[in-house]
Amino acid sequence: MHDQNFKNLILDYPVQALQFFAAEEAHDDLLQARIIPFRQEQLKERLGDRFHELDTPLLVEWPDGRREVILFLLEEETEARRFSIHRLAHYCLDLSELAQTERVVPVVIFLDRGHHPYELHLGGDRHAYLSFQYISCELKNRLADHYRQSDNIVARLNLPNMRYAKEQKLDIYHDAQLGLVQLEHDPKKQLKYIDFVDYYTDLTEDEIETYRKDYLSEAEARMGLAQILREEGREEGREEGRKEGEIKGEIKGEIKGEAQMLLKQIQLKFGGHPVWVEEKINQADKTQLDQWVERILFVDTLEQLFRA
């Protein structure tokens, strides 16, 4: 669930994601660059069963040639203890060879606190023959107070994942919601990322009631009626989800996330799609979506993608 959430976030807001997660390597002229997901099918063939797909490899290129192409590899790790620096180094080397570039920036987004290695050095008694490091974005070590008024939507949506005092929880939640409404004007994306903020804030029933009582009047003035209706709709959906059962809700969420991911891939690769494509995707089950997500890497037309 976490990796799909962050895949969607990075693909929807690639410039803001690089500026937030990889600030030290994100150039000021990213808005003039073209950012596209890197195709991975050749790497999959090479590694076979050992292949693992990082969350989002992004190829950044400047059409006017002002800067060399650079490849960013962004990986989300829910638990720091499960992170393998050897696996990451292995993947970077393979992808560097495949893309024929030495300009590769690995970025790991850690959702929890925990010990993990920052560097890898291989060598003998006299020399080090391989030195490897990566950008470590440890969200729980970032102070939410530093980003509460940020104009970077990725930072604002991740406020609940940062460090803040327990008594600030509703304030942080509110600032994340305000950031979404102020910085994203597409109603579909607003609805999509309200769920993101809800998921990572994880309010209790008592906290939801307190939020409604203490914040909703301000929200009505600052955010408008549409946002309040979405708030109410989310609560209705949450109650319905409880009735249907957690397992069924999780499966439904995975299918929805994968459908959104596929539509984003189609948008990036083909520049758009006819109505029948979205209808077909919305009617598909998880097995069919899995097949299409993998097949899109190999096809050149929408007809090839959806062939029987």
Side-chain angles (χ1 to χ4, degrees):
M1 181 68 175
H2 297 290
D3 60 346
Q4 190 65 57
N5 284 343
F6 277 84
K7 281 181 181 179
N8 290 335
L9 182 67
I10 293 165
L11 288 175
D12 281 337
Y13 307 107
V15 171
Q16 294 89 340
L18 292 178
Q19 290 173 335
F20 178 63
F21 295 128
E24 60 198 84
E25 288 284 358
H27 299 288
D28 294 335
D29 57 356
L30 277 178
L31 290 176
Q32 283 72 51
R34 182 170 62 179
I35 305 176
I36 55 177
F38 188 82
R39 294 170 61 116
Q40 302 181 49
E41 64 270 21
Q42 295 180 51
L43 187 62
K44 183 170 184 178
E45 292 173 1
R46 177 185 304 175
L47 296 181
D49 293 338
R50 295 185 295 109
F51 172 80
H52 76 283
E53 181 176 333
L54 292 192
D55 288 339
T56 321
L58 297 178
L59 196 65
V60 182
E61 57 184 13
W62 285 264
D64 61 6
R66 72 178 68 181
R67 204 181 303 278
E68 288 185 61
V69 173
I70 187 167
L71 183 62
F72 286 84
L73 289 80
L74 294 98
E75 176 178 355
E76 177 273 323
E77 285 287 348
T78 305
E79 299 179 42
R81 62 182 177 82
R82 299 182 62 182
F83 168 66
S84 169
I85 193 170
H86 292 81
R87 181 193 64 178
L88 181 62
H90 179 86
Y91 188 86
C92 287
L93 289 171
D94 275 304
L95 199 51
S96 171
E97 181 183 10
L98 178 62
Q100 297 183 342
T101 180
E102 295 179 357
R103 289 172 55 80
V104 177
V105 178
V107 183
V108 182
I109 305 160
F110 292 99
L111 284 182
D112 73 342
R113 294 186 179 92
H115 176 74
H116 56 86
Y118 292 92
E119 298 179 337
L120 174 65
H121 301 284
L122 303 181
D125 294 331
R126 300 188 61 183
H127 300 288
Y129 297 101
L130 175 66
S131 294
F132 176 79
Q133 56 185 320
Y134 59 94
I135 294 177
S136 176
C137 178
E138 300 166 352
L139 290 176
K140 290 299 183 187
N141 289 331
R142 292 200 177 189
L143 289 175
D145 281 340
H146 292 172
Y147 298 94
R148 289 177 63 177
Q149 303 302 319
S150 173
D151 60 1
N152 184 317
I153 192 169
V154 172
R156 291 289 285 272
L157 292 175
N158 274 285
L159 284 173
N161 290 321
M162 299 183 204
R163 178 155 57 97
Y164 54 86
K166 184 178 180 180
E167 59 270 19
Q168 289 183 291
K169 186 175 183 180
L170 292 183
D171 288 334
I172 294 299
Y173 176 73
H174 189 56
D175 285 340
Q177 295 276 25
L178 283 176
L180 174 59
V181 174
Q182 293 166 351
L183 300 171
E184 177 54 75
H185 303 296
D186 183 339
K188 290 184 178 180
K189 285 188 178 178
Q190 287 182 355
L191 285 171
K192 179 178 179 180
Y193 287 103
I194 279 176
D195 290 339
F196 183 97
V197 174
D198 275 359
Y199 183 83
Y200 288 107
T201 311
D202 193 24
L203 297 178
T204 65
E205 294 298 323
D206 288 341
E207 288 169 336
I208 292 171
E209 184 59 32
T210 300
Y211 179 76
R212 284 181 172 275
K213 182 177 66 174
D214 295 346
Y215 291 83
L216 205 56
S217 59
E218 179 185 355
E220 184 171 5
R222 296 176 64 184
M223 300 159 71
L225 179 61
Q227 175 69 3
I228 294 172
L229 293 176
R230 285 194 289 273
E231 173 77 15
E232 293 175 350
R234 183 172 71 259
E235 286 305 309
E236 293 175 1
R238 184 178 280 145
E239 179 62 28
E240 182 180 346
R242 281 195 290 269
K243 292 178 181 179
E244 293 178 353
E246 292 184 2
I247 295 178
K248 185 176 180 180
E250 288 178 1
I251 294 174
K252 186 176 180 181
E254 289 179 6
I255 292 174
K256 180 180 177 182
E258 194 153 9
Q260 292 171 338
M261 179 67 171
L262 180 59
L263 285 170
K264 185 63 179 179
Q265 287 178 309
I266 290 173
Q267 176 68 30
L268 290 168
K269 184 166 184 175
F270 298 108
H273 56 78
V275 174
W276 65 266
V277 168
E278 191 161 347
E279 292 176 349
K280 195 174 186 69
I281 289 174
N282 289 334
Q283 294 171 5
D285 58 21
K286 190 174 187 306
T287 300
Q288 183 64 76
L289 287 171
D290 287 340
Q291 293 175 354
W292 289 336
V293 167
E294 182 173 348
R295 186 184 295 170
I296 195 173
L297 300 172
F298 300 89
V299 301
D300 297 313
T301 67
L302 287 171
E303 289 70 21
Q304 291 174 338
L305 176 62
F306 295 107
R307 72 179 186 275

